[in-house]
Every structure is written in structure tokens, then in C-alpha cells.
Amino acid sequence: MRAFQTYERRRRSAGAAFVAPALAVLALILAYPILDSIWLALQRVTLKAGQVERTWVGAENFHRLFNDETALRAIFNTAYFSIAEVVLVVGIGLGVALLLNNAMGRSGFFRVVLVIPWAIAPVANAVLWKWILNANYGVLNGVLTSLGLIEHNQVWLGTPTMALNVLLLVDVWKSIPFVALLMLAGLQQVPKVLYRAAYMDGAGSFQTFVHITLPSIKTAIAIAVVLQTIWSLRVFDLIFVLTRGGPADATVLLNFLAYRVTFNFLDLGYGAAIANLVFAATFILAIIYIWLLKPRRRVAAS
Amino acid sequence: MLHKPTRRGLLQGAAGAGLLAALPDGLIRSAFAEDAALNVFGPQPPDPAPPGAAQFAIDLFDKWKADNKASVEYDLVAWPQLHDRMATAFASGSAPWDVVYMSGWVPEFATSLRPFADKLPASLVDDMPPTSFATTTWDGQVYGAVFTLSLLTLFYNTEHLAEAGLDGPPKTWDDLLRYTKELTRDGRSGWVANYGDPAGIGGTASQWMCFLQQAGGKMYGEDGMPVFDSDAGVDAMQMMVDLMDAGTDPGSISYVGINDATNVLLAGRASMQMNWPFMWTAAQDPEQSQIVGKLGGAILPAGPAGSASIDGTDAWTIPNSSKNPEVAQSLIEFYLDPVVQKQQAIDTGWLPIRLSTLADADVQKALPNAKVVLEQASHPYDSFVTPDYNEVTQALGTEVQKALQKAKTPAEAIADASELVTAIVKRRS
């Protein structure tokens, strides 16, 4: 027994020694910036004589954040954007996955076409949409006018509500492929025998979907929800290229605000406070994601 | 006799290279004292780029490098990325450049720049408009030299005006509103602007600053606090709202860059626009313009106090971190040489800053708008740059956007903007 304990201790020591370099690298490239960012958020940081000058201000930047009209609007916009995006992407993604899982949709061609929006580089995607949505000579206005659906050109990014929702739809368009493929993988894991049993029991298509399909892919859905929420918090390039946060700050999300305050206004402390808020939300979602991926023991049915 | 490469030879070579790299900078530089390696940070063409970056005065540039035993590397980025790259580099304390382009950011980065411009030769300074150093001066120190006279002026489609029976460009605010109404027909707009991005030189706020000065107002008082919550401020905002109603391209509120609005004018889908001098050359290029030979230019229509504009403030500066400040200054003086300035104007469309070059017959023949810009320069053109210019114009421009969208009255928008800008200035103080 004693020999076993000694062996186990040596095995653990060797394991720790092997893992240590990786932990050191992680601490350097992840932990240090995160801790420094939190530290930065507690200071007023100014550029003087080519040097960064820091003054301790405690929670003042966070207090300012929750009293700043633009920041509050950004929090509201971000919450709306994330919730709407998750609902739309997961809903449409599931629909697309069901179509692809159907016998007629199994052609590789459809999957290749599906992946295109996801494969386009983010900035290229934003520039592409800039041309499509241009109020004067954009493709979308041209197509809708030629179809007789609109009489005059629409300014798709011209009003606060319209601009935010158009950005949302563009991001949904880009995000659907990954979620659809994730759902498709989930659908292909559902044992066919369950569908046959449901059919034998006289279940209709809707009942089969609700009682067989959805429960079987609930982990895939949960993962899609968490990942999509994290990604929706990171939206930046679309806003930068298409609206710069306008009109009248209507499309400012927290991520973009953090960039604007940090790099445009050089208010590094306040920018770090905003970035930390985004980090906190992402961190919580990441924990949920890991928890969802954790293997669970099946509880035997009583 | 050729030597075979051996492992020992390679190791010795690598060790030598490593030793050289590890030597203190001063030692290396003394070893290669005859070569000054300059690094210039600026915008990519078609924005105002220097010789070698843009295609002009290449022979002269090569000669300057040979004469000064200097090499010049350009670090060019797209215009929207300039400020952020600079901010990051200056904040890190290791800006790797010897010459840096600025556009209204001198006060913001003044502590990272070298006040070299008071050492420029008198012959050069005397040949520049007296206001040339206004936007590069902060706390009494001159940190940069403007290299192009870049003021917003009026551009219009002569064919559209003729079709509408309008004789010559609008001269007053009333003319501008009337022209805009009359030119808004046949699926095109009388006026187009880029109101989508509130901040920065040329953004929504700075366009309002043109109208503010035309109305006789100014941004700041002697104590540095905002004074634009005035009749002039409200009149300027009201003029922009009226112009919107009269027939501004509705898409203007979504155009985030000057090029978005310029493309509308160049496509013949709008009749008038306030724009920078580069517009002239772009409009004469059939590959990007459908209005070749149909562009006219004039000074901006006068408000109650006369015509006024803003300055693009394109300037060269030298950061404190430059290892070759003397050679860097010499390079800036080369960029401002009369012959280089002339080629800059003729080949790129960016006007010279030198008055003698602006008056040059060849320049005026190639760029008929040179006279217009020179005339515009006889009126006020303050850009009101401060260390927090981006934050101020972001707050102000957002309020202008709210007024343009009728979410606020001009008076409410100006009052709110004044409150926001006051808070920003106080925070800086």
C-alpha cells in the first residue's frame, strides 16, 4: 500500500512537471492580460510625455459606466442583439439542419453552399454588405425595386431601429451555417430506431419532432445557444464598417464601445472597465459551455 | 576561390549575426553612420501620401535619399486605421517612426511629438498661409508642418445646374436651400453628405463646424470652455436640418466616409457636395466618374457671417522617439520643396500648401479648383482641434445626427451637446 502511495505521488509530481510549461505559457498569455486589464479598469490612465500615466481611482470607472447614457444604451443594445441573435440563429439553424437531414437535402452541394457565409472573412463580409445595403446604389434596393416590392430606395442603415435590426440580420446570416452544421451533427446521432418506434406508435411528424428529435439534440441546442451568445458579444467588424455605431449611437454594442473609448478617446481605464464587463459575461457563458460538455452519468430509470 | 559552406562556418556566421543584433544601438549606428534609416507612417493613396508612397516626384525622392545617405521605409495604412495605430504605438512608448502623418491629432499626441516646426527655414514658412500652423500648435509649441491646403469647398454638377436653369453656384444659405430643392428631381438629390460617422475631421460634427463659423459662432471661449450653445450654434444646426428637408440624399445619414458620399456625386445621383480638394482629380477620371468635365467648384455658401470652412490639417510631425530627428526634418522639408509640391498637386490632386506653388500657372491649369481653395482660405477655416477632439466630435456629431433625424430640435441638440462637451473638457482639465 505504501509503495503504491509513493508511486502515485511521484506520478503526480511528474505530471505537474510536464504540465507546468503549458501552465506558465497560459498564465503569460491569458492570466496576465486579464489581471492587468482588471487592474487597468481601477485606474485613470492618461498619455503624458509619451508615457502612460496611471492614477488609482478604485471603482470610479465602473460607477461611470453605469451612469453613462451611451454605455447604458450599449448594454441594452447588446442584450437585445444577443437574445434576438440566439433565437434567430438557433431557430433558423435548426430548420436548415432538418432540411439537410432530409433525404432530399443530403447532397454535398447544399452543405458547401451553406458554409459560404460562414467562410467569408469578417471584414470582407462587412464590406460586401456595405455595397448590398447602400441607400443610393445598393443591390438590395435594386432587386426590391425591380421586383416591384418597394417604390423608393430604402435607407437600410438610416434610422436607429432599422440600423440595429439590419445589422442583426446580417450577423444572423453569417452565423447560421455553423449552428446548422452543429445541429445536423446532433440530428445524425439520433438513433433511427426511435423514429421507427414512434411511427409504429402512430406519432405524427410534429409529435416525433417534439418528443424524439428535440430531446435527443438538446445538448447540441444548449451548446449552440451558449456559443452563439458568446459570439454575439464579440460583434465588431460589422459595426465598424457599416455604421461606426450610428446613427446617433443606435448600433453601439459594448464591444464596439470598449474599442471606441480605448483607442479613439484614449481613455484606457474606462475602456478596460467596459471590456471587463464583456469579459465577465463571456466568462460566465464559457463556464456554462464547459459544464454542458462535461460527460454525465446516466441515471437509471426507476 | 570558392569556400564550401561548412557547419562550423554557418555556426560562426550565425554567432556573428547574433552578436551584431545584441550590440547596443549606438554602436551599430556609429558603424553605419552614413546610412540613416527613416520610417514614415502615413495614409495609403489616394489619401495624401508622400513621394514614393504615391507615384510622384520619384526621381527627386531617389536623389534626396542619395544626397542625404538615407533610406526611407513607408508604413502605410488605410485612413480609418491611422489614429488607432498611432494611439497604440504612442501609449506603448515605442512608436517606431521618424515622421508621422497627423490629421487634427497634434494636440492629442503633443506630448509624444517633437516641437520642430519653429526651426523650419523662414523662406518656407513665409511661403505658407499664416494659419498653416494653427492646427499643429499646442500650448505655444509648433509640432508639425501642414503639407497640403485641404479645405472643404463646394463641388457641383454643372450639367444639373444648367438643366435646372440655375446660373452659377449658390452663394448664400438661402441660395443653397433653393438650389437643393430645385435640383432634387429625376431620382437624384440636390445635396449629398457623409453624416454617418460623427467623429473626426470631415465627420458630422466638423461639417456642422463649417456652418457654425458661417453663422458667426465658435466652439470655445478664451478659457477653453464651449461657447457654441448660442444663436449661431442653433442656426448652424437648423441650416443642416433645413438642408436635409430641402433634398439631401436620405442615405447621407448612413454614409460613414467621405468616399461613400463622393461616389454618389461622381455617379451623377446628386448635384452638390461639400468635399476636399482631391475630389477634382477623382471626378476627371472616367474609370471612377460619370461626370467627367461636368464638375464645378466654388467657395462654400455664405451664412450670416460669410463663407467659412474647416481645415483637413494634413501635417507631418516628428515623434520624440525618432532616432534621426534632423534627417526627419530634412525629409519633411523635402516634402515641402516647391518642385515636389507642384508634382504632388498635378499628379495626385492634393493641393500644395506653398502659396507660390498654388499660384503657379501649371498647377492652376491642371487643378482649376486651386483658385477656389485659395479663395476659401481667405475666410475662416478653424477645425477647433483639442486633445480630446475625437471624444468631443463624437458627442457633438451624435447630437447633430439626432437633430437631423428630428429626434431633437436643433436647440435641444445644441444644449445637450454643450453639456456633454463641457463634461469632456472638464474631465481633461
Side-chain angles (χ1 to χ4, degrees):
Chain A
M1 187 65 189
R2 195 170 179 175
F4 175 76
Q5 279 177 343
T6 308
Y7 166 76
E8 189 61 20
R9 200 176 300 133
R10 280 170 55 197
R11 198 177 72 90
R12 282 187 184 167
S13 302
F18 281 122
V19 169
L23 285 177
V25 171
L26 278 177
L28 196 69
I29 62 170
L30 282 179
Y32 172 70
I34 290 168
L35 293 174
D36 195 47
S37 168
I38 294 168
W39 184 240
L40 203 62
L42 302 172
Q43 298 172 75
R44 181 179 300 123
V45 186
T46 46
L47 186 64
K48 272 190 186 155
Q51 299 291 321
V52 170
E53 200 176 271
R54 299 176 174 212
T55 318
W56 175 263
V57 292
E60 189 187 292
N61 285 324
F62 290 97
H63 183 258
R64 185 177 155 198
L65 201 162
F66 291 107
N67 288 283
D68 177 353
E69 199 187 318
T70 310
L72 292 176
R73 181 160 196 177
I75 291 171
F76 172 78
N77 283 349
T78 307
Y80 169 77
F81 196 92
S82 296
I83 293 167
E85 173 148 318
V86 167
V87 170
L88 288 171
V89 170
V90 173
I92 300 172
L94 179 58
V96 171
L98 287 169
L99 289 173
L100 290 176
N101 199 38
N102 187 284
M104 285 175 69
R106 285 196 185 136
S107 156
F109 172 76
F110 291 125
R111 286 174 208 196
V112 170
V113 171
L114 177 73
V115 168
I116 290 173
W118 187 64
I120 297 173
V123 175
N125 176 56
V127 172
L128 181 80
W129 278 98
K130 185 174 175 168
W131 288 104
I132 292 172
L133 297 170
N134 187 286
N136 204 294
Y137 43 80
V139 177
L140 185 58
N141 274 326
V143 170
L144 295 178
T145 306
S146 62
L147 291 173
L149 293 172
I150 56 170
E151 222 170 294
H152 304 290
N153 280 359
Q154 299 295 306
V155 186
W156 302 107
L157 302 170
T159 60
T161 311
M162 176 93 97
L164 185 61
N165 284 305
V166 167
L167 283 191
L168 172 68
L169 291 178
V170 172
D171 206 45
V172 165
W173 176 81
K174 182 163 175 55
S175 306
I176 283 173
F178 179 84
V179 170
L181 291 178
L182 188 71
M183 300 283 187
L184 183 61
L187 285 173
Q188 289 177 345
Q189 298 297 314
V190 184
K192 297 284 179 286
V193 66
L194 293 180
Y195 288 115
R196 280 200 289 272
Y199 177 74
M200 297 290 284
D201 288 345
S205 304
F206 183 71
Q207 284 171 311
T208 306
F209 176 71
V210 171
H211 297 292
I212 304 290
T213 309
L214 277 184
S216 304
I217 62 166
K218 67 179 181 192
T219 306
I221 293 174
I223 290 169
V225 166
V226 174
L227 282 181
Q228 195 54 49
T229 314
I230 291 172
W231 290 335
S232 68
L233 291 173
R234 297 190 331 184
V235 173
F236 175 80
D237 25 75
L238 274 181
I239 300 168
F240 185 80
V241 174
L242 289 177
T243 65
R244 300 276 160 84
D249 278 346
T251 56
V252 170
L253 304 190
L254 276 173
N255 205 22
F256 183 79
L257 185 65
Y259 153 78
R260 192 164 86 182
V261 168
T262 308
F263 295 103
N264 287 358
F265 304 166
L266 275 183
D267 195 344
L268 307 189
Y270 186 41
I274 299 168
N276 278 316
L277 192 65
V278 181
F279 168 72
T282 312
F283 189 66
I284 292 166
L285 288 163
I287 290 171
I288 296 172
Y289 173 70
I290 291 165
W291 178 76
L292 284 169
L293 285 182
K294 207 172 164 186
R296 286 181 183 73
R297 260 186 227 150
R298 284 177 183 276
V299 180
S302 58
Chain B
M1 183 182 152
L2 287 171
H3 289 284
K4 259 189 170 178
T6 61
R7 209 166 5 168
R8 176 175 293 179
L10 279 173
L11 282 170
Q12 281 171 342
L19 192 64
L20 197 64
L23 278 174
D25 208 29
L27 279 179
I28 298 173
R29 272 193 289 134
S30 63
F32 299 99
E34 70 278 19
D35 282 316
L38 297 183
N39 199 317
V40 180
F41 180 67
Q44 288 171 341
D47 287 308
Q55 289 305 304
F56 71 98
I58 301 296
D59 294 346
L60 292 168
F61 185 44
D62 289 341
K63 184 174 180 313
W64 179 88
K65 286 189 282 188
D67 291 349
N68 289 273
K69 294 192 172 93
S71 63
V72 179
E73 290 270 328
Y74 283 120
D75 183 359
L76 307 173
V77 299
W79 210 92
Q81 295 164 20
L82 284 167
H83 176 272
D84 299 353
R85 270 286 299 281
M86 249 181 260
T88 316
F90 286 135
S92 73
S94 59
W97 311 298
D98 300 283
V99 175
V100 174
Y101 167 89
M102 288 277 161
S103 173
W105 308 307
V106 166
E108 184 180 354
F109 297 123
T111 57
S112 302
L113 301 175
R114 193 178 285 266
F116 79 98
D118 50 355
K119 291 181 208 141
L120 288 171
S123 59
L124 168 61
V125 175
D126 293 346
D127 196 21
M128 293 163 82
T131 49
S132 295
F133 298 101
T135 56
T136 58
T137 302
W138 189 249
D139 278 344
Q141 302 267 37
V142 192
Y143 293 95
V146 173
F147 63 94
T148 174
L149 185 61
S150 182
L151 310 183
L152 284 177
T153 58
L154 180 74
F155 290 91
Y156 57 92
N157 186 313
T158 52
E159 193 176 64
H160 291 180
L161 263 69
E163 280 170 14
L166 296 166
D167 187 23
K171 292 188 169 54
T172 64
W173 279 9
D174 288 343
D175 285 351
L176 180 59
L177 290 173
R178 183 167 58 84
Y179 274 47
T180 303
K181 264 185 200 159
E182 291 183 26
L183 291 164
T184 301
R185 58 181 184 176
D186 304 330
R188 62 189 187 227
S189 305
W191 183 257
V192 64
N194 54 302
Y195 292 146
D197 188 0
I201 295 276
T204 321
S206 70
Q207 292 181 52
W208 169 81
M209 288 173 190
C210 290
F211 291 103
L212 174 72
Q213 294 175 85
Q214 290 162 12
K218 56 180 186 169
M219 277 289 289
Y220 301 105
E222 292 300 319
D223 59 354
M225 296 308 287
V227 293
F228 60 80
D229 187 4
S230 60
D231 289 346
V234 177
D235 288 350
M237 189 82 89
Q238 186 65 56
M239 177 59 192
M240 290 176 81
V241 173
D242 292 345
L243 198 54
M244 197 80 198
D245 293 341
T248 298
D249 176 0
S252 297
I253 195 73
S254 66
Y255 300 149
V256 293
I258 188 69
N259 290 336
D260 295 342
T262 303
N263 288 341
V264 178
L265 195 86
L266 295 186
R269 289 168 166 270
S271 303
M272 297 185 292
Q273 188 196 8
M274 194 153 72
N275 206 334
W276 306 107
F278 83 96
M279 168 82 176
W280 188 270
T281 307
Q284 312 312 322
D285 177 3
E287 282 192 11
Q288 49 179 325
S289 166
Q290 292 177 42
I291 60 165
V292 177
K294 297 174 189 169
L295 191 72
I299 62 165
L300 293 174
S307 182
S309 181
I310 55 161
D311 187 355
T313 75
D314 306 279
W316 292 118
T317 60
I318 302 172
N320 286 332
S321 53
S322 170
K323 294 183 178 81
N324 297 293
E326 289 82 18
V327 192
Q329 179 173 335
S330 166
L331 180 63
I332 292 173
E333 286 173 26
F334 165 75
Y335 290 158
L336 291 163
D337 179 89
V339 184
V340 176
Q341 285 262 291
K342 184 173 175 176
Q343 291 197 21
Q344 169 188 300
I346 292 172
D347 294 345
T348 72
W350 288 101
L351 295 176
I353 191 67
R354 276 183 175 264
L355 294 167
S356 60
T357 318
L358 270 164
D360 184 285
D362 293 339
V363 171
Q364 296 219 347
K365 191 179 167 197
L367 299 164
N369 63 325
K371 263 187 191 164
V372 173
V373 181
L374 206 49
E375 189 189 345
Q376 187 72 69
S378 66
H379 299 276
Y381 57 95
D382 197 337
S383 293
F384 302 109
V385 291
T386 58
D388 34 34
Y389 183 74
N390 277 343
E391 198 171 356
V392 163
T393 48
Q394 179 71 46
L396 182 51
T398 301
E399 293 303 315
V400 177
Q401 289 180 335
K402 287 176 185 169
L404 290 173
Q405 295 191 311
K406 310 276 173 66
K408 286 182 182 177
T409 65
E412 286 169 351
I414 284 294
D416 290 349
S418 176
E419 206 175 298
L420 291 166
V421 175
T422 302
I424 293 166
V425 174
K426 279 185 178 166
R427 203 159 45 234
R428 184 220 310 160
S429 307

